Amino acid sequence: MKRTFLSLFAASVLLSSCNCDKCEKTEANGNPFFAEYNTPYQTAPFDKIKFEHYKPAFLEGMKQEQAEVLAIANSTKEPTFANTIEAFEKTGELLSKVSNVFYAQKGFNNNDSIAKLAKELSPLETKHSADISLNENLFKRIKTVYDKKDDLKLSVEQNTLLEKMYEGFVRSGANLDADKKAKLREIDGKLALLTMAFGDNVLAETNGFELVIDNKEDLAGLPESVIGAAAEKATAAGKEGKWMFGLDKPSMLPFLQYSDKRDLREKLYMGYVNRGNNNNEFDNKKNAQEIANLRIERAKLFGFKNHAAYVLDKNMAKTPEKALELLNKLWDAALPNAKKEAVELQKMINKEGGKFKLASWDWWYYSDKVKKAKYALDEEELRPYFEINNVRDGAFALATKLWGVKFVERKDIAKFHEECQTWELQEADGTHIGIFYLDYHPRASKRGGAWMDSFRKQSGLGTDKEITPIIMNICNFTKPVGDGPALISPDEVETLFHEFGHALHGFFSKCRYNQLSGTSVSRDFVELPSQVMENWCFEPEMLALYAKHYKTGEVIPAELVKKIQAAGKFNQGFGTVEYLAASLLDMNYHTLTEPLTEDVMTFEKNYLEGMGLIPEIYSRYRSTYFNHIFSSPVGYSAGYYAYIWAGVLDSDAFEAFNETSLFDQATAKAFRDNVLSKGGTEDPMVLYKRFRGAEPSIEPLLKKRGLK
């Protein structure tokens, strides 16, 4: 969605090449942003972009966009769709161009200089956006076109653009009185700074924790690959001859899963769940509280009783009550399963002579033991078959089988980091679709998690200047050890396919307007294209394509495949409950109608205990490091439920393949044509029903998770 849609829903900004006269005049200063990139497919010249290029480009970009907007707003011509709606849609090219590169770098190559500049730019950008969204003349022109939209004979996409643009202005304060507009500016300025600080604090806390081991006996239970990775991590940190574990998941989770040292598991896990809650300079308790309270105040400016009502008004769920209905139904189904799993783990503890009660930091360790006992399945047996490039090639092969596309590695495109890979996606006949950047491994400068983003979205369909997408997948997967390859876990395999699904949503977009293209859809629909791809991961036919031993090339044995299938529903009570706990916590913050006065950790504890969350399970994200909802002005706030909402959709969608065949191209074409290519051009349920023929059923999800 275009940033100057001026709604806090803006999920990303759109990059497109800049051909303006002003850029040509400033080309001589050596700033790459001020000229058309002389690169393949207008990819960013990362080898030429320097830190000092960002600020001048931001300032000039804001100046240019303001001039472009004023030219529209102050025009004396009768407002039309072309001279107002389409004209506004095309503004801000330079600002989008530099913003997409800069904020992407902040996500995967952050440093003190970038963080400082982002903080400096925040109030300038907030004011710039507000100056546009609250421009009365501009809004009058947009409203004039909107009021006569039924007589304009617009296409479906044009009508959607008009409606979303009008609603974007309204939801950004265009209809507010002067006092409320001033208050909105103040609130948005505070939110921009607070959410940035929240994310920076989480990164600092994550990087600041170290579990250093200097006694080899304390490595008991750990596989050699995990020990080797810890030794390399220690050496890189200047602790030669020791072993180090951190809070990034490729380091933390294997330790929790295999370490025999319960006290060290506790130390590492509690370091993770207490991020932002250590009463130090990076403490996030006050930030989270202030963000939640400002959102209440902001929602009420628009006549909504709470932030969730404001957000969900434009999502598939429509109301908080509808989202909570699904969450509570699944909670009631999943919690008994999680309790049964806890009993199983306690039995294993007792069987081994443990004289303690199961705690949260024991879950991964003892669930691994139970899994081995029940299914004879050891994840370390699987890793050799999940070499990361083989898994990547498996995802590529899946796309080829379904849609006939192909991937060609490009060595002639500048990279933003030495670990980055660059690929070109083509149709079967060689037609260019887009450029794909892959960045798979953790580093101190990269925030945690995994995500898809765009340097440029697809747009211009039906015009003489169609712009092709430039997309990235950024992840934090297990790194290679020594001279060996990166061997990833089954969870990481699913994540790779998940983010790849987001990328395909961006690549297959066929839209005219970039504000509607690709992933510019409601939060609870955007996870459908990503999550549906996970369904293929461990199907036997799919495993045969990519799960090959990294040394021998041997395809994963049928016996191991059967074990994977048999264990498919194992520990789903835990996985579902820890996710739902976070979703419900998010909704509880954002359905508040009055300011929160108590400490957020007390608020969290009281709410989740009241829901019946057992002490052996923590919420997947706790308040002080819940980046999804607190590290951007909106992000997934009142929207973390979207993963399970989309889970209903993706499980039902995959049934279409179960009803035909795993790689059925006719079904895949229907999904591409009716969902992936349409972006946000139509109501998501209309698109889904056009693909599936009916609204989704919850039954496939319950079946898949073993909740029925």
Side-chain angles (χ1 to χ4, degrees):
M1 195 179 285
K2 190 179 193 295
R3 168 143 68 93
T4 44
F5 250 31
L6 318 161
S7 160
L8 284 180
F9 279 105
S12 63
V13 289
L14 305 168
L15 183 157
S16 55
S17 60
C18 180
N19 297 305
C20 59
D21 291 339
K22 290 180 181 178
C23 293
E24 294 299 327
K25 290 176 183 177
T26 52
E27 183 179 358
N29 68 11
N31 190 323
F33 294 116
F34 289 141
E36 183 171 307
Y37 297 149
N38 184 24
T39 57
Y41 301 105
Q42 290 285 291
T43 49
F46 291 106
D47 54 337
K48 294 182 174 62
I49 294 172
K50 299 177 181 178
F51 175 75
E52 57 265 28
H53 294 148
Y54 288 120
K55 186 175 179 180
F58 267 104
L59 296 178
E60 178 63 22
M62 286 186 274
K63 179 181 176 182
Q64 287 185 22
E65 185 172 33
Q66 190 63 247
E68 293 161 355
V69 168
L70 289 176
I72 300 168
N74 298 333
S75 172
T76 57
K77 294 181 179 179
E78 177 69 17
T80 65
F81 185 85
N83 71 20
T84 301
I85 306 305
E86 286 188 325
F88 178 69
E89 205 266 346
K90 295 173 182 176
T91 62
E93 290 186 353
L94 174 58
L95 185 57
S96 294
K97 185 178 184 180
V98 62
S99 294
N100 273 358
V101 173
F102 177 76
Y103 287 110
Q105 292 276 14
K106 190 176 187 302
F108 53 65
N109 276 334
N110 201 10
N111 57 43
D112 290 343
S113 297
I114 287 176
K116 183 179 178 182
L117 179 57
K119 189 172 182 179
E120 179 185 347
L121 290 170
S122 178
L124 300 178
E125 291 188 285
T126 301
K127 180 182 183 301
H128 172 72
S129 290
D131 285 345
I132 297 172
S133 65
L134 302 178
N135 184 304
E136 293 183 6
N137 287 341
L138 178 62
F139 180 60
K140 282 178 184 177
R141 290 182 65 84
I142 292 171
K143 187 175 187 303
T144 297
V145 180
Y146 179 80
D147 287 343
K148 59 183 180 183
K149 65 185 177 71
D150 293 338
D151 301 323
L152 298 180
K153 297 181 180 179
L154 301 174
S155 69
V156 171
E157 185 172 356
Q158 287 174 326
N159 190 66
T160 302
L161 176 69
L162 175 56
E163 289 183 346
K164 288 192 175 183
M165 188 176 289
Y166 174 77
E167 291 168 358
F169 271 81
V170 171
R171 290 169 66 81
S172 296
N175 275 339
L176 298 179
D177 62 34
D179 289 343
K180 287 183 177 179
K181 284 179 178 177
K183 190 64 180 175
L184 180 64
R185 284 178 180 267
E186 178 189 341
I187 290 171
D188 286 350
K190 289 179 179 177
L191 280 171
L193 290 173
L194 285 167
T195 53
M196 187 182 298
F198 187 98
D200 288 345
N201 286 347
V202 175
L203 181 61
E205 289 273 84
T206 302
N207 289 338
F209 182 93
E210 298 176 352
L211 174 63
V212 179
I213 292 175
D214 53 16
N215 183 349
K216 198 168 185 177
E217 292 181 3
D218 287 336
L219 301 173
L222 298 176
E224 285 302 318
S225 60
V226 175
I227 294 172
E232 289 191 0
K233 193 177 186 75
T235 299
K239 303 179 190 300
E240 186 79 35
K242 299 181 181 181
W243 300 268
M244 193 170 88
F245 296 87
L247 301 182
D248 56 291
K249 288 191 174 180
S251 178
M252 180 185 74
L253 290 181
F255 191 89
L256 294 177
Q257 185 171 349
Y258 297 116
S259 173
D260 293 338
K261 298 297 182 178
R262 188 171 188 251
D263 58 330
L264 296 181
R265 294 201 308 270
E266 178 182 6
K267 182 177 180 180
L268 185 62
Y269 186 66
M270 295 312 292
Y272 179 80
V273 300
N274 280 325
R275 289 177 296 167
N277 183 32
N278 292 305
N279 299 314
N280 58 15
E281 61 185 307
F282 305 120
D283 198 90
N284 265 336
K285 292 192 286 291
K286 194 68 176 175
N287 286 337
Q289 182 185 40
E290 289 185 26
I291 291 167
N293 288 343
L294 284 168
R295 286 174 176 165
I296 297 170
E297 191 175 1
R298 191 181 193 282
K300 289 185 175 182
L301 287 177
F302 292 96
F304 291 90
K305 62 183 179 181
N306 54 49
H307 180 69
Y310 171 82
V311 170
L312 271 69
D313 186 53
K314 296 302 174 186
N315 277 11
M316 290 183 77
K318 302 302 181 188
T319 67
E321 291 75 20
K322 191 71 173 175
L324 284 166
E325 180 184 346
L326 174 64
L327 293 176
N328 287 324
K329 182 175 182 179
L330 292 169
W331 180 265
D332 291 341
L335 188 60
N337 279 22
K339 289 179 178 179
K340 289 177 185 176
E341 290 166 3
V343 170
E344 274 194 298
L345 302 191
Q346 187 64 56
K347 286 180 179 177
M348 178 62 74
I349 292 171
N350 297 342
K351 180 181 177 182
E352 293 190 344
K355 304 294 183 182
F356 55 86
K357 188 176 184 302
L358 175 71
S360 52
W361 52 87
D362 297 317
W363 199 286
W364 284 267
Y365 182 74
Y366 285 100
S367 64
D368 186 65
K369 286 178 174 286
V370 171
K371 181 190 282 189
K372 288 174 181 174
K374 291 180 73 170
Y375 306 105
L377 180 62
D378 182 350
E379 281 192 9
E380 287 302 300
E381 282 185 87
L382 300 178
R383 281 185 186 264
Y385 297 96
F386 295 149
E387 191 273 323
I388 195 165
N389 291 318
N390 286 344
V391 179
R392 175 206 64 206
D393 290 346
F396 289 177
L398 175 58
T400 300
K401 277 190 165 289
L402 294 176
W403 297 291
V405 296
K406 55 187 179 182
F407 295 80
V408 179
E409 189 165 14
R410 297 292 298 254
K411 301 289 190 179
D412 57 336
I413 292 175
K415 301 178 179 182
F416 53 74
H417 191 274
E418 60 183 9
E419 294 180 347
C420 172
Q421 304 175 20
T422 51
W423 295 81
E424 180 185 357
L425 176 59
Q426 301 175 348
E427 298 285 7
D429 63 2
T431 301
H432 175 77
I433 297 177
I435 296 296
F436 196 17
Y437 293 85
L438 300 174
D439 181 18
Y440 279 149
H441 301 300
R443 51 183 176 269
S445 61
K446 185 193 288 188
R447 68 179 171 88
W451 64 96
M452 168 268 188
D453 207 344
S454 305
F455 289 117
R456 181 178 74 208
K457 288 191 174 184
Q458 177 275 334
S459 66
L461 184 71
T463 71
D464 59 359
K465 188 184 176 183
E466 181 172 358
I467 293 172
T468 55
I470 301 174
I471 288 171
M472 68 193 96
N473 274 175
I474 311 296
C475 306
N476 282 275
F477 296 145
T478 301
K479 297 184 74 168
V481 178
D483 296 328
L487 306 177
I488 63 177
S489 70
D491 282 347
E492 291 173 323
V493 171
E494 286 191 335
T495 300
L496 189 150
F497 274 74
H498 177 106
E499 299 305 332
F500 181 64
H502 278 309
L504 291 178
H505 195 187
F507 280 128
F508 288 160
S509 175
K510 286 295 179 184
C511 302
R512 179 164 184 167
Y513 303 110
N514 55 20
Q515 297 177 36
L516 303 178
S517 125
T519 55
S520 297
V521 300
S522 66
R523 185 63 75 191
D524 48 10
F525 191 62
V526 76
E527 296 300 335
L528 164 61
S530 56
Q531 290 180 186
V532 75
M533 300 302 287
E534 297 177 35
N535 288 277
W536 275 272
C537 288
F538 304 124
E539 290 289 330
E541 291 175 77
M542 189 68 224
L543 286 166
L545 295 178
Y546 75 90
K548 301 174 182 178
H549 198 284
Y550 77 99
K551 287 184 177 178
T552 66
E554 173 198 9
V555 174
I556 189 168
E559 181 184 350
L560 265 183
V561 174
K562 289 178 182 176
K563 290 179 182 180
I564 293 172
Q565 296 288 303
K569 296 180 178 64
F570 177 73
N571 211 34
Q572 280 294 317
F574 168 82
T576 305
V577 163
E578 66 151 9
Y579 162 77
L580 290 173
S583 300
L584 288 162
L585 180 62
D586 167 33
M587 292 299 291
N588 197 37
Y589 273 115
H590 294 115
T591 51
L592 289 172
T593 57
E594 298 299 329
L596 178 64
T597 56
E598 64 183 329
D599 178 89
V600 295
M601 301 312 293
T602 303
F603 175 81
E604 174 187 307
K605 180 175 183 291
N606 290 340
Y607 176 68
L608 292 177
E609 285 184 356
M611 286 293 299
L613 181 65
I614 58 177
E616 296 87 353
I617 300 177
Y618 273 101
S619 171
R620 180 174 295 180
Y621 297 104
R622 302 187 75 196
S623 300
T624 54
Y625 59 90
F626 205 160
N627 266 335
H628 283 76
I629 68 171
F630 287 136
S631 72
S632 69
V634 169
Y636 273 78
S637 64
Y640 193 61
Y641 78 92
Y643 291 98
I644 205 76
W645 185 278
V648 174
L649 297 172
D650 87 69
S651 301
D652 184 80
F654 191 64
E655 279 295 294
F657 290 91
N658 287 331
E659 292 162 6
T660 52
S661 64
L662 190 64
F663 304 117
D664 185 67
Q665 292 188 347
T667 305
K669 183 178 187 302
F671 189 66
R672 179 176 180 177
D673 290 348
N674 294 302
V675 176
L676 298 179
S677 70
K678 296 298 184 182
T681 58
E682 293 186 68
D683 179 89
M685 189 56 78
V686 170
L687 296 176
Y688 187 81
K689 288 166 67 176
R690 199 174 291 153
F691 158 63
R692 196 70 172 100
E695 291 195 4
S697 165
I698 195 175
E699 298 304 313
L701 174 70
L702 296 175
K703 180 181 175 183
K704 182 167 73 174
R705 291 181 174 244
L707 302 179
K708 184 175 181 180

